[in-house]
Amino acid sequence: MTEHSQERVPSRDRRRFPGISSRAYEHPADRSALVALRKLSGFDTVFKALSGLLPERSLRLLYLSDSVRVGDQQFAHLNDMLRDACYILDLEKVPPMYVTQDPKPNAMCIGLDEPIIVVTTGLVELLDEEEMRAVVGHEVGHALSGHSVYRTILLFLTNFALKVAWIPLGNIAVMAIVTALREWFRKSELSADRAGLLVGQDLQASMRGLMKLAGGHHLHQMNVDAFLAQAEEYEAGGDLRDSVLKIMNVLPRSHPFTTVRAAELKKWAAGRDYQRIMDGHYLRRDGDKDASVSDSFKDHANHYADTVRTSKDPLMALVRDIAGGAGDLGGKLREAFTGRPGGPPPGPGNKPSGGNPPRDDATGSEGPTEP
């Protein structure tokens, strides 16, 4: 048997991307958020401490003993998808994959030394073959990007916070790192969604999978266009107060909102970058060593500028106004949140007109007057 005949060939004709670098599909905000995370004060201390003490062997033994390992004899269809995904993204070593009993649909790629992929029974039962293929590609994308290390640290810091109280940084510093990790991980999900599309090469299947994650298996009751319209309404609706609430709602989450993920993926699929990859023009791994950190920040800056320019969110519209010299930020915020005209804040030569001196809300006493 020739070497060529032993290759892992996908179950249907899909393009393959030999030597593809994860930089080819990573979201600009993902790369820059990871760079910022690594520069966060105290992160190196936590990373080194946990890297040496996290019970990774215990974690692997747990899945080996209490989950089902995917292979030729168990969940063979998932094993075929996993091998296909690694073949398409040219990931040389196929990571072990486990199915664990959990009715909540979920999947993750974890591990410090080597990545392992875990999917829940709830997810396997929810998705059809092509939808599941996109999810497996999503997790292989995490593995190729090296996300499993940081995902594992986030998992332990959030689920076992009491056990890491000994870290010599204090709880506030640890929570700052958790917040930064969550911010990065939300961005990394956008990158992995792109990897899932590169593996499945079926945008409709990716969209269906995201809809099912949001609304369950009643696919006949859902519509892709209407689902994407929700993302449009979410982005553009409300006022500045709603913009702040959106930020507050997303902070505790590890994943972006599902409608937002669908809209982001559809926009990328319709763009030039995706088509160039499909045509065989993409960044390759052999150039990773020459990639600079400054390029990541530059890409993120360009992405952010484009987001501000095109976003329909009221807060982004305000940022555009301020950048264009349309007024002061403080005045506009006061007007938006109080319903009263903004104007300059009280200060020397700029005292409140008429009425009593300002009062301290906490004590009810008169606050300090201007000198």
Side-chain angles (χ1 to χ4, degrees), residues 346-369:
N350 215 5
K351 298 179 182 180
S353 58
N356 296 321
R359 301 176 68 86
D360 185 286
D361 289 334
T363 64
S365 62
E366 291 185 357
T369 59

PDB file of all heavy atoms in Angstrom, residues 346-369:
ATOM      1  N   PRO A 346     -19.719  71.214  36.325  1.00  0.00           N
ATOM      2  CA  PRO A 346     -19.417  72.306  37.251  1.00  0.00           C
ATOM      3  C   PRO A 346     -17.924  72.368  37.532  1.00  0.00           C
ATOM      4  O   PRO A 346     -17.241  71.362  37.642  1.00  0.00           O
ATOM      5  CB  PRO A 346     -20.189  71.903  38.520  1.00  0.00           C
ATOM      6  CG  PRO A 346     -21.265  70.982  38.038  1.00  0.00           C
ATOM      7  CD  PRO A 346     -20.683  70.266  36.869  1.00  0.00           C
ATOM      8  N   GLY A 347     -17.431  73.572  37.699  1.00  0.00           N
ATOM      9  CA  GLY A 347     -16.016  73.745  37.973  1.00  0.00           C
ATOM     10  C   GLY A 347     -15.738  75.185  38.275  1.00  0.00           C
ATOM     11  O   GLY A 347     -16.650  76.010  38.352  1.00  0.00           O
ATOM     12  N   PRO A 348     -14.489  75.564  38.434  1.00  0.00           N
ATOM     13  CA  PRO A 348     -14.149  76.954  38.712  1.00  0.00           C
ATOM     14  C   PRO A 348     -14.687  77.865  37.614  1.00  0.00           C
ATOM     15  O   PRO A 348     -14.434  77.659  36.434  1.00  0.00           O
ATOM     16  CB  PRO A 348     -12.607  76.955  38.726  1.00  0.00           C
ATOM     17  CG  PRO A 348     -12.227  75.535  39.038  1.00  0.00           C
ATOM     18  CD  PRO A 348     -13.304  74.700  38.430  1.00  0.00           C
ATOM     19  N   GLY A 349     -15.447  78.864  38.028  1.00  0.00           N
ATOM     20  CA  GLY A 349     -16.036  79.779  37.059  1.00  0.00           C
ATOM     21  C   GLY A 349     -17.180  79.174  36.301  1.00  0.00           C
ATOM     22  O   GLY A 349     -17.661  79.730  35.331  1.00  0.00           O
ATOM     23  N   ASN A 350     -17.638  77.985  36.752  1.00  0.00           N
ATOM     24  CA  ASN A 350     -18.663  77.266  35.998  1.00  0.00           C
ATOM     25  C   ASN A 350     -19.610  76.588  36.972  1.00  0.00           C
ATOM     26  O   ASN A 350     -19.892  75.412  36.873  1.00  0.00           O
ATOM     27  CB  ASN A 350     -17.972  76.203  35.131  1.00  0.00           C
ATOM     28  CG  ASN A 350     -18.704  76.034  33.808  1.00  0.00           C
ATOM     29  OD1 ASN A 350     -19.642  76.759  33.534  1.00  0.00           O
ATOM     30  ND2 ASN A 350     -18.241  75.081  33.024  1.00  0.00           N
ATOM     31  N   LYS A 351     -20.089  77.343  38.001  1.00  0.00           N
ATOM     32  CA  LYS A 351     -20.897  76.785  39.064  1.00  0.00           C
ATOM     33  C   LYS A 351     -22.301  76.501  38.578  1.00  0.00           C
ATOM     34  O   LYS A 351     -22.777  77.106  37.633  1.00  0.00           O
ATOM     35  CB  LYS A 351     -20.937  77.753  40.245  1.00  0.00           C
ATOM     36  CG  LYS A 351     -19.570  78.010  40.865  1.00  0.00           C
ATOM     37  CD  LYS A 351     -19.678  78.988  42.006  1.00  0.00           C
ATOM     38  CE  LYS A 351     -18.312  79.287  42.612  1.00  0.00           C
ATOM     39  NZ  LYS A 351     -18.393  80.244  43.720  1.00  0.00           N
ATOM     40  N   PRO A 352     -23.010  75.586  39.264  1.00  0.00           N
ATOM     41  CA  PRO A 352     -24.396  75.348  38.907  1.00  0.00           C
ATOM     42  C   PRO A 352     -25.203  76.613  39.079  1.00  0.00           C
ATOM     43  O   PRO A 352     -24.986  77.395  40.006  1.00  0.00           O
ATOM     44  CB  PRO A 352     -24.841  74.254  39.907  1.00  0.00           C
ATOM     45  CG  PRO A 352     -23.583  73.639  40.403  1.00  0.00           C
ATOM     46  CD  PRO A 352     -22.550  74.702  40.351  1.00  0.00           C
ATOM     47  N   SER A 353     -26.147  76.821  38.185  1.00  0.00           N
ATOM     48  CA  SER A 353     -26.934  78.051  38.221  1.00  0.00           C
ATOM     49  C   SER A 353     -28.108  77.879  39.160  1.00  0.00           C
ATOM     50  O   SER A 353     -28.901  76.966  39.018  1.00  0.00           O
ATOM     51  CB  SER A 353     -27.441  78.389  36.816  1.00  0.00           C
ATOM     52  OG  SER A 353     -28.206  77.334  36.294  1.00  0.00           O
ATOM     53  N   GLY A 354     -28.237  78.797  40.154  1.00  0.00           N
ATOM     54  CA  GLY A 354     -29.399  78.837  41.033  1.00  0.00           C
ATOM     55  C   GLY A 354     -29.478  77.639  41.945  1.00  0.00           C
ATOM     56  O   GLY A 354     -28.690  76.714  41.898  1.00  0.00           O
ATOM     57  N   GLY A 355     -30.500  77.652  42.861  1.00  0.00           N
ATOM     58  CA  GLY A 355     -30.776  76.496  43.704  1.00  0.00           C
ATOM     59  C   GLY A 355     -29.776  76.373  44.832  1.00  0.00           C
ATOM     60  O   GLY A 355     -28.936  77.239  45.069  1.00  0.00           O
ATOM     61  N   ASN A 356     -29.900  75.268  45.584  1.00  0.00           N
ATOM     62  CA  ASN A 356     -29.042  74.995  46.726  1.00  0.00           C
ATOM     63  C   ASN A 356     -27.740  74.359  46.279  1.00  0.00           C
ATOM     64  O   ASN A 356     -27.645  73.808  45.187  1.00  0.00           O
ATOM     65  CB  ASN A 356     -29.762  74.068  47.705  1.00  0.00           C
ATOM     66  CG  ASN A 356     -30.995  74.728  48.279  1.00  0.00           C
ATOM     67  OD1 ASN A 356     -30.989  75.925  48.580  1.00  0.00           O
ATOM     68  ND2 ASN A 356     -32.067  73.950  48.425  1.00  0.00           N
ATOM     69  N   PRO A 357     -26.719  74.373  47.153  1.00  0.00           N
ATOM     70  CA  PRO A 357     -25.462  73.703  46.822  1.00  0.00           C
ATOM     71  C   PRO A 357     -25.704  72.219  46.627  1.00  0.00           C
ATOM     72  O   PRO A 357     -26.655  71.650  47.161  1.00  0.00           O
ATOM     73  CB  PRO A 357     -24.589  73.966  48.065  1.00  0.00           C
ATOM     74  CG  PRO A 357     -25.213  75.147  48.747  1.00  0.00           C
ATOM     75  CD  PRO A 357     -26.678  75.065  48.446  1.00  0.00           C
ATOM     76  N   PRO A 358     -24.851  71.560  45.860  1.00  0.00           N
ATOM     77  CA  PRO A 358     -25.008  70.118  45.646  1.00  0.00           C
ATOM     78  C   PRO A 358     -24.908  69.361  46.963  1.00  0.00           C
ATOM     79  O   PRO A 358     -24.190  69.760  47.870  1.00  0.00           O
ATOM     80  CB  PRO A 358     -23.845  69.767  44.713  1.00  0.00           C
ATOM     81  CG  PRO A 358     -22.852  70.863  44.895  1.00  0.00           C
ATOM     82  CD  PRO A 358     -23.651  72.091  45.202  1.00  0.00           C
ATOM     83  N   ARG A 359     -25.641  68.240  47.087  1.00  0.00           N
ATOM     84  CA  ARG A 359     -25.655  67.446  48.307  1.00  0.00           C
ATOM     85  C   ARG A 359     -25.029  66.086  48.056  1.00  0.00           C
ATOM     86  O   ARG A 359     -25.121  65.534  46.964  1.00  0.00           O
ATOM     87  CB  ARG A 359     -27.102  67.265  48.796  1.00  0.00           C
ATOM     88  CG  ARG A 359     -27.787  68.587  49.082  1.00  0.00           C
ATOM     89  CD  ARG A 359     -29.241  68.369  49.470  1.00  0.00           C
ATOM     90  NE  ARG A 359     -29.380  67.717  50.751  1.00  0.00           N
ATOM     91  CZ  ARG A 359     -29.383  68.374  51.913  1.00  0.00           C
ATOM     92  NH1 ARG A 359     -29.231  69.681  51.947  1.00  0.00           N
ATOM     93  NH2 ARG A 359     -29.531  67.708  53.039  1.00  0.00           N
ATOM     94  N   ASP A 360     -24.390  65.582  49.067  1.00  0.00           N
ATOM     95  CA  ASP A 360     -23.786  64.255  48.991  1.00  0.00           C
ATOM     96  C   ASP A 360     -24.881  63.205  49.085  1.00  0.00           C
ATOM     97  O   ASP A 360     -25.638  63.176  50.053  1.00  0.00           O
ATOM     98  CB  ASP A 360     -22.772  64.077  50.136  1.00  0.00           C
ATOM     99  CG  ASP A 360     -22.037  62.767  50.019  1.00  0.00           C
ATOM    100  OD1 ASP A 360     -22.644  61.734  50.303  1.00  0.00           O
ATOM    101  OD2 ASP A 360     -20.847  62.809  49.636  1.00  0.00           O
ATOM    102  N   ASP A 361     -25.011  62.321  48.070  1.00  0.00           N
ATOM    103  CA  ASP A 361     -26.088  61.351  48.031  1.00  0.00           C
ATOM    104  C   ASP A 361     -26.030  60.371  49.191  1.00  0.00           C
ATOM    105  O   ASP A 361     -27.032  59.882  49.679  1.00  0.00           O
ATOM    106  CB  ASP A 361     -26.038  60.543  46.717  1.00  0.00           C
ATOM    107  CG  ASP A 361     -26.439  61.432  45.542  1.00  0.00           C
ATOM    108  OD1 ASP A 361     -27.165  62.396  45.769  1.00  0.00           O
ATOM    109  OD2 ASP A 361     -26.012  61.123  44.405  1.00  0.00           O
ATOM    110  N   ALA A 362     -24.832  60.020  49.652  1.00  0.00           N
ATOM    111  CA  ALA A 362     -24.706  58.989  50.674  1.00  0.00           C
ATOM    112  C   ALA A 362     -25.123  59.509  52.049  1.00  0.00           C
ATOM    113  O   ALA A 362     -25.688  58.799  52.864  1.00  0.00           O
ATOM    114  CB  ALA A 362     -23.272  58.470  50.728  1.00  0.00           C
ATOM    115  N   THR A 363     -24.832  60.797  52.332  1.00  0.00           N
ATOM    116  CA  THR A 363     -25.083  61.316  53.678  1.00  0.00           C
ATOM    117  C   THR A 363     -26.217  62.304  53.708  1.00  0.00           C
ATOM    118  O   THR A 363     -26.768  62.579  54.774  1.00  0.00           O
ATOM    119  CB  THR A 363     -23.823  62.016  54.208  1.00  0.00           C
ATOM    120  OG1 THR A 363     -23.549  63.159  53.379  1.00  0.00           O
ATOM    121  CG2 THR A 363     -22.625  61.069  54.195  1.00  0.00           C
ATOM    122  N   GLY A 364     -26.581  62.858  52.566  1.00  0.00           N
ATOM    123  CA  GLY A 364     -27.607  63.884  52.541  1.00  0.00           C
ATOM    124  C   GLY A 364     -27.069  65.248  52.927  1.00  0.00           C
ATOM    125  O   GLY A 364     -27.819  66.225  52.978  1.00  0.00           O
ATOM    126  N   SER A 365     -25.778  65.350  53.227  1.00  0.00           N
ATOM    127  CA  SER A 365     -25.184  66.637  53.620  1.00  0.00           C
ATOM    128  C   SER A 365     -24.755  67.407  52.399  1.00  0.00           C
ATOM    129  O   SER A 365     -24.602  66.846  51.311  1.00  0.00           O
ATOM    130  CB  SER A 365     -23.985  66.388  54.530  1.00  0.00           C
ATOM    131  OG  SER A 365     -22.991  65.661  53.828  1.00  0.00           O
ATOM    132  N   GLU A 366     -24.554  68.683  52.587  1.00  0.00           N
ATOM    133  CA  GLU A 366     -24.100  69.505  51.475  1.00  0.00           C
ATOM    134  C   GLU A 366     -22.675  69.143  51.128  1.00  0.00           C
ATOM    135  O   GLU A 366     -21.829  68.956  51.991  1.00  0.00           O
ATOM    136  CB  GLU A 366     -24.178  70.981  51.846  1.00  0.00           C
ATOM    137  CG  GLU A 366     -25.611  71.487  51.981  1.00  0.00           C
ATOM    138  CD  GLU A 366     -25.663  72.976  52.236  1.00  0.00           C
ATOM    139  OE1 GLU A 366     -24.588  73.573  52.357  1.00  0.00           O
ATOM    140  OE2 GLU A 366     -26.777  73.518  52.290  1.00  0.00           O
ATOM    141  N   GLY A 367     -22.452  68.984  49.825  1.00  0.00           N
ATOM    142  CA  GLY A 367     -21.119  68.631  49.368  1.00  0.00           C
ATOM    143  C   GLY A 367     -20.209  69.849  49.399  1.00  0.00           C
ATOM    144  O   GLY A 367     -20.642  70.969  49.652  1.00  0.00           O
ATOM    145  N   PRO A 368     -18.935  69.636  49.113  1.00  0.00           N
ATOM    146  CA  PRO A 368     -17.971  70.753  49.136  1.00  0.00           C
ATOM    147  C   PRO A 368     -18.275  71.734  48.027  1.00  0.00           C
ATOM    148  O   PRO A 368     -18.660  71.352  46.934  1.00  0.00           O
ATOM    149  CB  PRO A 368     -16.625  70.059  48.930  1.00  0.00           C
ATOM    150  CG  PRO A 368     -16.970  68.776  48.239  1.00  0.00           C
ATOM    151  CD  PRO A 368     -18.297  68.371  48.765  1.00  0.00           C
ATOM    152  N   THR A 369     -18.101  72.997  48.323  1.00  0.00           N
ATOM    153  CA  THR A 369     -18.306  74.029  47.311  1.00  0.00           C
ATOM    154  C   THR A 369     -17.005  74.281  46.580  1.00  0.00           C
ATOM    155  O   THR A 369     -15.922  73.960  47.078  1.00  0.00           O
ATOM    156  CB  THR A 369     -18.794  75.335  47.956  1.00  0.00           C
ATOM    157  OG1 THR A 369     -17.808  75.758  48.896  1.00  0.00           O
ATOM    158  CG2 THR A 369     -20.130  75.112  48.644  1.00  0.00           C
TER     159      THR A 369
END
